[in-house]
Amino acid sequence: MDLNSSNSILNQPISQLQNIGPSAFSKIQKIVPSGTIKDLLLHIPANYHKLTISQELSEQHIGKLVICSVTILRHMRSTNSKIPYKIECTDGNILLYLIFFSRNTSYLNNIFSVNKSLVIKGKLQIFRNEFSFTHPEIMNQKMDKISDIDSVYRLTKDINNKYIQNLIALILDKSPVFPEWINSTHLKKYNFYSWNESLEKIHRPRGIGFQEIESSRRRLAYDELLSYQLTIRNSLNNENVGRSLPIHNSEIISFINNLSFQLTNCQKAS
């Protein structure tokens, strides 16, 4: 699908994106029932994790979520299936180890080939004086392009956080700049960012504080309330106006005279 075609892409199904097959689309619908691109963009992160981006690891990083660049040195295989698979690497300052409990050695050899440099993310641990990451995540970005705030989404089975992050990043990267529908006076009054800026700051916060993220979330909440009010107003304006019927006094008098009981004075007055 050509994401630069028109603004109507917001209402297109996510299945129109490249590499989104029926199975993946069905899983995504458990998170975004409508399955539209717009509602995926409005699938706001449930939380954010502060990351440490480090050029040189040290003891001060132990226990923290860290992003660093490493170079693979060697694979330390073991014939004992109870011992995890270890990959020795360096960040240029210290030796550290990537720990995997997977026995898919061909996959690990392919992804973590010797002498290859990678940017990884994970919690730095130390065991028996060895620094290590257990099942680190490979980052597909350069160090200077990575945010120090990690967006964490509500997920479902077989859909991980990285998958949602990459899918939203694909849409943000290829979508056109959508025209702003809130006038500049209101944007300034409420200290709002544009719709495009708000989405970028919410999903890919980079070099900003949590206050800017919160301001962007309030902007989208404002959109939702405004949309709801406009929908109600349009609904009221489109309602059918009741049709008045002529009333004849003679028919009313005849009806009252044929009643099997007498009306009270209050009933007659009404």
Side-chain angles (χ1 to χ4, degrees):
M1 183 181 68
D2 180 12
L3 288 183
N4 293 304
S5 58
S6 70
N7 293 351
S8 63
I9 66 109
L10 286 174
N11 295 317
Q12 292 290 325
I14 301 167
S15 57
Q16 295 297 309
L17 296 173
Q18 188 177 5
N19 299 325
I20 303 296
S23 177
F25 182 60
S26 176
K27 293 173 183 176
I28 293 170
Q29 281 188 295
K30 294 179 181 179
I31 302 173
V32 184
S34 69
T36 64
I37 289 175
K38 180 187 70 174
D39 286 342
L40 178 60
L41 289 176
L42 295 177
H43 182 60
I44 307 302
N47 201 359
Y48 294 92
H49 289 160
K50 184 68 175 177
L51 302 174
T52 299
I53 300 177
S54 174
Q55 300 295 336
E56 292 186 354
L57 294 173
S58 65
E59 290 185 356
Q60 67 176 344
H61 298 120
I62 295 173
K64 295 181 180 179
L65 279 173
V66 178
I67 293 177
C68 65
S69 178
V70 299
T71 300
I72 306 302
L73 299 179
R74 62 177 177 140
H75 287 239
M76 303 171 66
R77 300 171 179 83
S78 173
T79 56
N80 187 342
S81 60
K82 295 182 179 180
I83 297 178
Y85 193 92
K86 294 176 67 176
I87 301 175
E88 185 179 73
C89 55
T90 179
D91 69 337
N93 181 45
I94 61 171
L95 285 178
L96 57 135
Y97 299 88
L98 310 182
I99 309 298
F100 296 91
F101 293 95
S102 170
R103 306 312 298 177
N104 189 350
T105 56
S106 59
Y107 167 80
L108 294 174
N109 273 288
N110 181 49
I111 299 299
F112 300 94
S113 56
V114 175
N115 295 324
K116 185 176 183 179
S117 293
L118 297 166
V119 177
I120 61 172
K121 179 178 73 175
K123 181 176 287 188
L124 183 64
Q125 301 166 318
I126 188 167
F127 180 69
R128 293 178 179 175
N129 295 320
E130 292 182 348
F131 291 94
S132 65
F133 290 99
T134 302
H135 285 271
E137 178 184 332
I138 299 176
M139 308 298 290
N140 297 319
Q141 299 167 285
K142 294 182 179 180
M143 287 282 283
D144 60 348
K145 299 294 183 182
I146 295 176
S147 169
D148 60 350
I149 299 176
D150 196 26
S151 303
V152 182
Y153 297 89
R154 293 181 297 275
L155 304 171
T156 187
K157 186 180 179 181
D158 299 325
I159 294 288
N160 60 38
N161 201 64
K162 184 177 179 180
Y163 183 84
I164 294 297
Q165 286 180 333
N166 291 341
L167 193 56
I168 291 176
L170 172 67
I171 298 172
L172 292 177
D173 286 339
K174 294 191 174 183
S175 294
V177 176
F178 298 102
E180 183 56 58
W181 47 81
I182 297 180
N183 63 54
S184 58
T185 302
H186 279 77
L187 289 177
K188 186 176 181 180
K189 178 181 179 180
Y190 296 110
N191 195 29
F192 286 156
Y193 299 103
S194 69
W195 197 71
N196 294 274
E197 287 179 303
S198 296
L199 288 174
E200 186 70 33
K201 291 179 184 295
I202 284 173
H203 292 295
R204 297 192 295 194
R206 185 182 300 134
I208 63 174
F210 287 103
Q211 185 176 355
E212 292 176 82
I213 297 175
E214 183 58 30
S215 179
S216 299
R217 291 167 69 101
R218 287 192 297 107
R219 158 64 209 264
L220 295 190
Y222 177 89
D223 283 350
E224 186 174 355
L225 289 173
L226 178 61
S227 174
Y228 179 69
Q229 289 181 336
L230 291 176
T231 300
I232 293 177
R233 188 181 71 176
N234 290 337
S235 176
L236 293 174
N237 290 340
N238 293 329
E239 284 186 353
N240 293 325
V241 179
R243 184 165 59 92
S244 61
L245 298 174
I247 298 177
H248 302 287
N249 289 335
S250 59
E251 293 177 354
I252 295 176
I253 294 172
S254 175
F255 173 76
I256 293 175
N257 290 336
N258 285 298
L259 291 174
S260 59
F261 57 87
Q262 292 292 322
L263 295 179
T264 65
N265 290 333
C266 291
Q267 288 174 330
K268 291 178 181 179
S270 64

